[in-house]
Amino acid sequence: MHCDNRGSFTEALHSAERGQVSVNVSKPGIAKGQHWHHTKHEKFLVVSGKGEINFRMADDPAGKIITYKVSGDKLEIVRIPPGYTHNIVNVGDTDMVTIMWANEVFDPTNPDTFRLDV
């Protein structure tokens, strides 16, 4: 479990064949992400709290921003394809809990994660 003033991030499952599943807790008003991947596919599922998931094509600074309103009250999976910079913002008054899946495990020697604001 990795904790800071924004909340926490905990890797729950890690498999070279099936990818990585993590639990992310975000404090109210906090945005996490602001990055993109060349090859990594991700899926986000908010199970508690309220948030917004924003993304746009990374190579188009003036590109259209796509926003999904998400909530633990209505479980929906949002897929983030490679090449899209993305973030998730807690817009509620309580902690937001998100289950995150990535098709690839994080490799610190070749981190397919590139910082870029949505």
Side-chain angles (χ1 to χ4, degrees), residues 5-76:
N5 62 330
R6 302 171 305 152
S8 65
F9 182 83
T10 305
E11 186 178 306
L13 299 169
H14 183 104
S15 164
E17 297 80 26
R18 304 233 185 332
Q20 180 174 314
V21 177
S22 303
V23 178
N24 184 65
V25 178
S26 299
K27 298 290 183 189
I30 295 298
K32 290 186 177 179
Q34 303 291 29
H35 63 256
W36 64 281
H37 312 284
H38 278 293
T39 59
K40 190 172 288 176
H41 296 260
E42 292 181 303
K43 292 183 181 180
F44 294 173
L45 173 64
V46 171
V47 296
S48 179
K50 294 180 183 177
E52 289 182 355
I53 298 171
N54 305 290
F55 56 101
R56 70 169 169 82
M57 296 268 316
D59 63 357
D60 186 0
K64 178 183 174 188
I65 295 175
I66 301 162
T67 299
Y68 287 98
K69 298 203 181 287
V70 291
S71 169
D73 296 332
K74 183 180 179 189
L75 301 183
E76 297 179 284

